[in-house]
Amino acid sequence: MIGRLNHIAIAVPDLAAAAAKYRDQLGAQAGPVQALPEHGVSVVFIDTGNTKVELLEPLGEGSPIGGFLAKNPGGGMHHICFEVPDLAAAVGVLTSGGARMLGEAKIGAHGRPVVFLHPKDFDGTLIELEEVAPVRHPL
Amino acid sequence: MIGRLNHIAIAVPDLAAAAAKYRDQLGAQAGPVQALPEHGVSVVFIDTGNTKVELLEPLGEGSPIGGFLAKNPGGGMHHICFEVPDLAAAVGVLTSGGARMLGEAKIGAHGRPVVFLHPKDFDGTLIELEEVAPVRHPL
């Protein structure tokens, strides 16, 4: 069911400073700061070639990572995201097996349907599932 | 400097149960349990196609993940590992920039030289750097 690791998300208290560390100290490819007010975060993508690190900073009131940073003011690994070809099918399999979703599926920061699984069902790890666009082969 | 995300490591209290969840609920490719007594862990690799998830369970006394699981008994994301082509060069750049290493470079679980960076220098994220074997092209 799950496919590629789409990204690992790290919540940080200072996005510009975090991006600078990845770029200047680790020599990574760090993109620009992107504000995603509808998702309550600002984000910088680190391209590792095979996957992405998403550095997340809260944006606005009620950010979904506000509580995490209140508990972990220095930042920390927040979630990992796996790609699935069919989110509704994945949710059906998982819920029938007893796994709990954190809310309903919605459109995520990449414009694709996503859902989050309860971290208590997966060893303290918050897992996001993101439906990826099907690969279309020309005739 | 850093290249591919080699793996994300998740510390779990029950390795067989965690591997079964990834295999049976998430439909992932989960390998067998491997005991690595010289590293103080047992490990199951989840192959996501583009990278790996390493599920880690303490093995023996003084396991390097024992303290983490004492603080997080339900498990949690433990570290991420980036590949570097030259570990000594990477350590030189990082230490000259003020980053702190957790101990000296040593041979890691994959048989390659590794070092861990202090999580307080990288937004609460424990980062492992692993030197990858150079790609050898035939003449």
Side-chain angles (χ1 to χ4, degrees), chain A residues 1-5 8 10 12 18 21 25-28 48 50-51 74-80 94 99 121 123-125, chain B residues 1-5 8 10 12 18 21 25-27 48 50-51 74-80 94 99 121 123-125:
Chain A
M1 188 161 74
I2 61 168
R4 297 172 72 259
L5 181 78
I8 164 161
I10 299 174
V12 303
K21 280 183 277 191
Q25 293 192 48
L26 292 171
T48 70
N50 59 331
T51 187
M77 290 182 273
H78 185 262
H79 69 265
I80 54 177
L94 284 159
D121 291 337
D123 303 292
T125 300
Chain B
M1 188 162 73
I2 60 168
R4 297 171 73 260
L5 181 78
I8 164 159
I10 298 174
V12 303
K21 280 183 277 191
Q25 293 192 47
L26 291 172
T48 70
N50 60 331
T51 187
M77 289 181 274
H78 186 262
H79 69 265
I80 54 178
L94 284 159
D121 291 337
D123 302 291
T125 300

Side-chain angles (χ1 to χ4, degrees), chain A residues 3-134:
Chain A
R4 297 172 72 259
L5 181 78
N6 183 277
H7 63 267
I8 164 161
I10 299 174
V12 303
D14 183 333
L15 185 57
K21 280 183 277 191
Y22 275 78
R23 185 172 51 236
D24 300 335
Q25 293 192 48
L26 292 171
Q29 296 288 329
V33 174
Q34 300 179 47
L36 303 174
E38 69 277 25
H39 295 286
V41 293
S42 295
V43 59
V44 166
F45 293 104
I46 309 293
D47 183 359
T48 70
N50 59 331
T51 187
K52 295 185 293 287
V53 176
E54 289 188 10
L55 302 175
L56 300 176
E57 182 187 60
L59 178 62
E61 298 300 312
S63 169
I65 61 169
F68 180 87
L69 278 169
K71 285 185 198 162
N72 305 276
M77 290 182 273
H78 185 262
H79 69 265
I80 54 177
C81 175
F82 296 111
E83 297 176 357
V84 295
D86 184 334
L87 190 66
V91 168
V93 169
L94 284 159
T95 53
S96 70
R100 292 165 289 176
M101 309 293 119
L102 290 180
E104 300 287 313
K106 59 180 182 177
I107 299 300
H110 304 149
R112 304 288 312 165
V114 302
V115 76
F116 285 88
L117 310 183
H118 199 302
K120 288 196 175 171
D121 291 337
F122 290 96
D123 303 292
T125 300
L126 179 58
I127 294 177
E128 180 182 18
L129 300 178
E130 178 175 316
E131 182 174 289
V132 287

Side-chain angles (χ1 to χ4, degrees), chain B:
Chain B
M1 188 162 73
I2 60 168
R4 297 171 73 260
L5 181 78
N6 185 277
H7 62 268
I8 164 159
I10 298 174
V12 303
D14 183 333
L15 186 57
K21 280 183 277 191
Y22 275 79
R23 185 171 51 237
D24 300 335
Q25 293 192 47
L26 291 172
Q29 296 288 329
V33 174
Q34 299 179 47
L36 303 174
E38 68 277 26
H39 295 286
V41 293
S42 294
V43 60
V44 166
F45 293 105
I46 310 293
D47 182 359
T48 70
N50 60 331
T51 187
K52 296 186 291 287
V53 176
E54 290 188 11
L55 302 175
L56 300 175
E57 182 186 61
L59 177 63
E61 297 300 312
S63 169
I65 60 169
F68 180 87
L69 277 169
K71 285 185 196 162
N72 305 277
M77 289 181 274
H78 186 262
H79 69 265
I80 54 178
C81 175
F82 296 110
E83 298 176 357
V84 294
D86 183 334
L87 191 67
V91 168
V93 169
L94 284 159
T95 53
S96 70
R100 294 165 289 177
M101 310 293 119
L102 290 181
E104 300 288 313
K106 59 180 183 177
I107 300 300
H110 304 149
R112 305 289 311 166
V114 302
V115 76
F116 286 88
L117 310 183
H118 199 301
K120 288 196 175 172
D121 291 337
F122 291 96
D123 302 291
T125 300
L126 179 58
I127 294 177
E128 180 182 17
L129 300 179
E130 179 175 314
E131 183 174 290
V132 287
V135 176
R136 297 191 185 281
H137 297 284
L139 293 176

